[in-house]
Amino acid sequence: MSIVAYYARLNAAQIEQFSSDPSTLESGAEPGIEIIDVDRAYEPVAWLLSERKRAEQAHWAMLMRDMEARETVRRSFLARIARRFQKKQAFQPSAALDAKAAAAEAIEMDSLVVAIEGRSENRDERFELGLDPPAVFTPDEVAILSSALQAVHPAALEQQFNPSLMDDMSVFPQHWQEEGRELMDTYVIPAFVRLQAFYRDAHAEGQHVLVWYE
């Protein structure tokens, strides 16, 4: 299942107008409204640009490996026999997992990952557009997020490009060692450039930005 990120830019009056029937919100529905998606490229873009995202992904990858290892043991013949004589135990994270989680939390949430992934506690419950109500950024917040994005040259995405590490960290869509160069040129970098232009236009028009996932 691929969870796609959507971004909409519109003004305050348009938010009120479409809140009563969000299904009619689409690009061009009113002057200035634009909706884009970057498929699931938000994941590698955020990983390449945000230290916080990389730390979170490292924790998630360790968690997945730990759970897979436990499942392998659980399915073994000896484990099945042993379970007859043991009480079922809930999953308990290891000290290493706890340390990874703490390390990620200690890193400041940067404006780049906020803009790219729509990380905001401000949600508009009136819009039922996807998996959860969309994050809403005010024009003042959009100005800050746009400034952070505009300060990044697309070439900066290459600085953390490490195919073997990205595969090890299960960065979507994986297969970085085999297809990484093509993915960067045709998927990741174009998605970032599109996001830059989107936030730049939203800031220029003094608009709000909504971000949601479907």
Side-chain angles (χ1 to χ4, degrees):
M1 178 181 177
S2 186
I3 301 176
V4 177
Y6 291 85
Y7 309 77
R9 58 182 182 91
L10 61 170
N11 62 38
Q14 290 166 337
I15 287 179
E16 293 304 315
Q17 176 183 342
F18 286 95
S19 65
S20 61
D21 188 5
S23 65
T24 61
L25 178 62
E26 58 184 26
S27 288
E30 289 286 333
I33 292 179
E34 181 186 19
I35 301 175
I36 69 167
D37 77 78
V38 294
D39 191 63
R40 200 169 161 183
Y42 59 90
E43 289 194 36
V45 171
W47 191 91
L48 289 164
L49 294 179
S50 170
E51 182 185 4
R52 171 66 179 252
K53 177 68 176 183
R54 289 192 293 275
E56 292 172 344
Q57 189 74 18
H59 171 252
W60 182 86
M62 179 180 282
L63 175 63
M64 291 300 101
R65 287 194 294 268
D66 192 43
M67 292 180 67
E68 288 171 3
R70 289 168 184 259
E71 181 64 12
T72 299
V73 172
R74 188 186 71 82
R75 290 176 178 273
S76 70
F77 174 76
L78 291 178
R80 289 200 301 271
I81 297 298
R83 283 203 306 276
R84 296 180 182 179
F85 306 98
Q86 297 176 351
K87 293 182 179 180
K88 188 174 181 180
Q89 295 183 344
F91 172 79
Q92 295 293 331
S94 66
L97 274 170
D98 287 340
K100 282 284 187 184
E105 288 294 327
I107 299 172
E108 183 178 0
M109 189 76 70
D110 56 89
S111 293
L112 290 171
V113 75
V114 170
I116 295 164
E117 296 195 335
R119 299 199 187 191
S120 174
E121 295 299 320
N122 184 22
R123 305 273 168 170
D124 195 325
E125 301 282 347
R126 299 172 299 176
F127 285 83
E128 297 182 1
L129 295 172
L131 300 176
D132 292 298
V136 181
F137 297 115
T138 66
D140 287 344
E141 291 171 325
V142 170
I144 295 170
L145 300 179
S146 178
S147 177
L149 288 168
Q150 308 317 315
V152 178
H153 191 280
L157 289 159
E158 304 284 354
Q159 293 176 5
Q160 296 294 331
F161 181 54
N162 184 328
S164 61
L165 177 61
M166 294 170 76
D167 278 340
D168 191 47
M169 293 293 103
S170 300
V171 177
F172 182 87
Q174 301 186 53
H175 309 294
W176 293 99
Q177 294 180 81
E178 297 86 2
E179 305 170 11
R181 188 67 264 158
E182 181 180 358
L183 286 168
M184 289 290 286
D185 293 340
T186 65
Y187 187 63
V188 177
I189 294 175
F192 173 70
V193 171
R194 194 174 189 198
L195 277 176
Q196 273 187 317
F198 173 86
Y199 273 95
R200 182 183 63 239
D201 292 343
H203 173 46
E205 297 293 332
Q207 294 172 307
H208 291 69
V209 165
L210 275 60
V211 183
W212 70 94
Y213 294 84
E214 294 182 11

